[in-house]
């Protein structure tokens, strides 16, 4: 069963099983995830082959599509192992494979020709002739290079019947289509093979040769200097322009981000997309969406290259302080209408705390914790992180909903 087939797809990150469940719960049409090998996010948890099968089975039960990333740039010595991996993926049967390297593309078309192939943004597709090349080779979808404007994407989309994918939200690499070598040089960790240490987020200063020990920040604040920091992408206020550009799928970045990030971003964009399709002409940005996206960790938002504004692509020299008015506190483990809620605790909770419930497609609801009870049904004065407790609250909720604790 497919859903939203005639609509733009909302594609969410799933760095591990919990994030997969979260993306499904909050309304993703499709998810992208990686195996333990051959994926550009080696530190996101990822999935064993058995877990990939379970992920596909779970997603299918919810009519959600699964795209498996295999977007590294391999060395010759890895090709045999890659072939074996692709053979196992053929048995699992994901909805598509995401690749960047032509060699992996060629292997995929030979080994699992029945599984569609999507071309990653790492392939740096910037023009209609390249899209035509990938179509002739047998690709089904191309993720546009992040350096393109919406006007350029519109022209490319109009020239092909290939599916066009573009990022709508999340972190942006300072390097060309993510093809960075800083991590390799500085830490011997190849970013193009999933091991980036994010040196663009390090703090830098200038040291003059004849003044050892005297450091001069390039742009001074209390934390140091930030010479490579790109701001995060946020296009929620421009969804109509993206949809009308002929984009097939809107992709949220963030396989290494938290379930709080996944829940918040997917929930916001799901609401924004649904509202657009309900009333395209009357669609307006809901200030609540912007407020919600500001509640997850980010590096300041921009529209990237999409609108042709050079000020939007200037690196973030200020590294803004992240101080939300609510912090992620826990995940609901079972449906509850009685006011007693089992919760996996992520931040300390005490009776009297004011909390918010983040539920799919619903306005935020607030409540007060009346009592905390441990798993032996004993009242406790506080709930610590990484424990499971029962909260007594006034608001019904569903399994998978998230709880935030409001700051006083």
């Amino acid at each position: 069963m497919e859903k939203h087939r005639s609509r733009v797809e909302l594609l969410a990150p799933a760095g591990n099983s919990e994030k997969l469940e979260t993306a499904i719960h909050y309304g993703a049409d499709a998810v992208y995830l990686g195996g333990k090998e051959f994926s550009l996010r080696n530190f996101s948890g990822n999935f064993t082959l058995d877990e990939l099968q379970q992920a596909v089975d779970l997603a299918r039960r919810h009519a959600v599509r699964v795209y498996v990333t295999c977007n590294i740039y391999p060395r010759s010595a890895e090709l045999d192992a890659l072939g074996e991996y692709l053979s196992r993926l053929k048995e699992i049967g994901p909805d598509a494979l995401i690749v960047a390297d032509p060699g992996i593309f060629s292997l995929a078309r030979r080994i699992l020709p029945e599984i569609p192939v999507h071309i990653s943004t790492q392939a740096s597709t910037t023009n209609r002739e390249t899209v035509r090349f990938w179509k002739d080779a047998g690709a089904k979808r191309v993720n546009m290079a992040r350096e393109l404007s919406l006007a350029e994407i519109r022209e490319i989309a109009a020239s092909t019947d290939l599916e066009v994918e573009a990022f709508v939200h999340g972190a942006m690499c300072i390097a060309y289509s993510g093809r960075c070598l800083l991590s390799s040089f500085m830490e011997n960790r190849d970013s193009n093979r999933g091991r980036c240490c994010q040196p663009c987020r390090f703090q830098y200063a200038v040291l003059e040769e004849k003044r050892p020990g005297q450091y001069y920040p390039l742009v001074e604040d209390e934390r140091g200097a930030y010479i490579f920091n790109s701001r995060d992408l946020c296009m929620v206020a421009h969804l109509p322009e993206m949809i009308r550009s002929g984009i097939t799928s809107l992709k949220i970045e963030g396989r290494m981000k938290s379930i709080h990030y996944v829940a918040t971003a997917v929930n916001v964009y799901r609401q924004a997309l649904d509202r657009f399709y309900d009333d395209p002409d009357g669609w307006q940005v809901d200030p609540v969406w912007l407020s919600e996206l500001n509640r997850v960790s980010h590096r300041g938002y921009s529209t990237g290259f999409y609108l042709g504004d050079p000020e939007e692509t200037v690196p973030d020299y200020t590294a803004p302080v992240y101080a939300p008015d609510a912090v992620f506190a826990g995940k609901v483990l079972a449906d509850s209408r009685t006011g007693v809620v089992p919760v996996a605790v992520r931040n300390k909770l005490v009776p009297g705390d004011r909390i918010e419930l983040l539920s799919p497609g619903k306005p935020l609801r607030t409540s007060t914790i009346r009592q905390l009870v441990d798993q032996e049904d004993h009242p406790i004065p506080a709930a610590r992180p990484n424990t499971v407790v029962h909260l007594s609250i006034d608001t019904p909720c569903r399994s998978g909903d998230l709880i935030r604790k409001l700051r006083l």
Side-chain angles (χ1 to χ4, degrees), residues 12-14 18-31 64 259 262-263 266:
E18 186 178 36
K19 295 172 190 177
L20 169 65
E21 293 168 359
T22 300
I24 292 172
H25 183 66
Y26 283 92
D29 295 310
V31 296
V64 170
I259 63 168
V262 173
V266 173

Side-chain angles (χ1 to χ4, degrees), residues 10-16 18-24 28 30-33 47 167 169 250-258 261-263 265-266:
L10 181 59
L11 177 56
N16 58 31
E18 186 178 36
K19 295 172 190 177
L20 169 65
E21 293 168 359
T22 300
I24 292 172
V31 296
Y32 62 101
L33 48 82
F47 296 77
F167 281 94
H169 192 88
L250 296 173
K251 187 172 188 176
I252 298 171
E253 182 276 337
R255 275 192 287 154
M256 294 177 65
K257 302 286 182 66
S258 68
Y261 168 90
V262 173
V266 173

Side-chain angles (χ1 to χ4, degrees), residues 20 44 109 183 189 224 274 341 407:
L20 169 65
S44 65
R109 300 312 295 149
S183 183
R189 285 167 48 175
D274 289 349
V341 183
R407 295 183 188 274

Side-chain angles (χ1 to χ4, degrees), residues 278-325:
D278 287 342
D279 183 11
D281 294 331
W283 189 92
Q284 291 184 328
V285 179
D286 189 333
V288 172
W289 300 337
L290 301 174
S291 174
E292 278 291 281
L293 293 173
N294 277 319
R295 283 178 145 179
V296 295
S297 181
H298 63 282
R299 302 186 181 102
Y301 287 130
S302 77
T303 56
F305 295 88
Y306 282 137
L307 304 183
D309 182 353
E311 291 298 317
E312 291 293 299
T313 56
V314 172
D316 180 8
Y317 295 116
T318 60
V321 175
Y322 168 62
D325 58 359

Side-chain angles (χ1 to χ4, degrees), residues 20-239:
L20 169 65
E21 293 168 359
T22 300
I24 292 172
H25 183 66
Y26 283 92
D29 295 310
V31 296
Y32 62 101
L33 48 82
K36 292 290 186 181
E37 299 177 286
F38 313 124
S39 169
L40 277 183
R41 292 294 181 269
N42 285 2
F43 305 111
S44 65
N46 297 320
F47 296 77
T48 65
L49 287 166
D50 288 342
E51 289 169 342
L52 280 175
Q53 183 66 72
Q54 295 166 13
V56 170
D57 292 344
L58 173 66
R60 292 256 163 83
R61 290 197 295 271
H62 292 85
V64 170
R65 295 176 286 278
V66 176
Y67 309 144
V68 174
T69 60
C70 190
N71 53 346
I72 69 162
Y73 287 88
R75 309 294 166 80
S76 294
E78 296 171 299
L79 293 179
D80 289 343
L82 254 169
E84 294 175 6
Y85 178 68
L86 293 175
S87 295
R88 291 296 306 275
L89 287 182
K90 179 176 182 177
E91 299 171 8
I92 293 169
D95 294 282
L97 187 70
I98 301 173
V99 309
D101 179 71
I104 297 181
F105 181 91
S106 179
L107 281 173
R109 300 312 295 149
R110 293 202 304 270
I111 295 171
L112 57 173
E114 68 281 4
I115 294 179
V117 177
H118 296 177
I119 305 304
S120 169
T121 192
Q122 296 284 126
S124 305
T125 301
T126 58
N127 63 78
R128 63 176 182 269
E129 285 300 320
T130 304
V131 171
R132 183 175 291 117
F133 168 86
W134 285 120
K135 179 186 176 181
D136 292 344
K140 182 180 180 181
R141 176 185 295 184
V142 176
N143 187 325
M144 295 288 96
R146 294 200 184 189
E147 294 77 33
L148 295 180
S149 69
L150 283 181
E152 291 171 312
I153 292 174
R154 185 181 303 110
E155 186 268 337
I156 290 171
S159 74
T160 183
D161 58 1
L162 215 60
E163 294 180 2
V164 171
E165 181 179 291
F167 281 94
V168 71
H169 192 88
M172 295 193 294
C173 183
I174 200 69
Y176 187 83
S177 286
R179 304 280 292 276
C180 181
L181 292 175
L182 278 177
S183 183
S184 296
F185 284 120
M186 299 177 71
E187 295 290 341
N188 197 29
R189 285 167 48 175
D190 192 342
S191 59
N192 299 309
R193 295 162 63 79
R195 303 181 64 240
C196 183
C197 65
Q198 295 195 321
C200 55
R201 313 302 175 198
F202 293 176
Q203 299 181 19
Y204 294 92
V206 175
L207 178 64
E208 201 279 321
E209 181 180 8
K210 295 182 180 180
R211 295 177 175 83
Q214 295 184 35
Y215 294 91
Y216 302 91
L218 299 175
V219 178
E220 186 175 6
D221 67 13
E222 67 274 14
R223 291 150 299 185
Y226 302 82
I227 61 174
F228 300 119
N229 269 15
S230 56
R231 285 177 285 172
D232 288 356
L233 180 69
C234 178
M235 289 295 288
V236 70
H238 302 278
L239 280 184

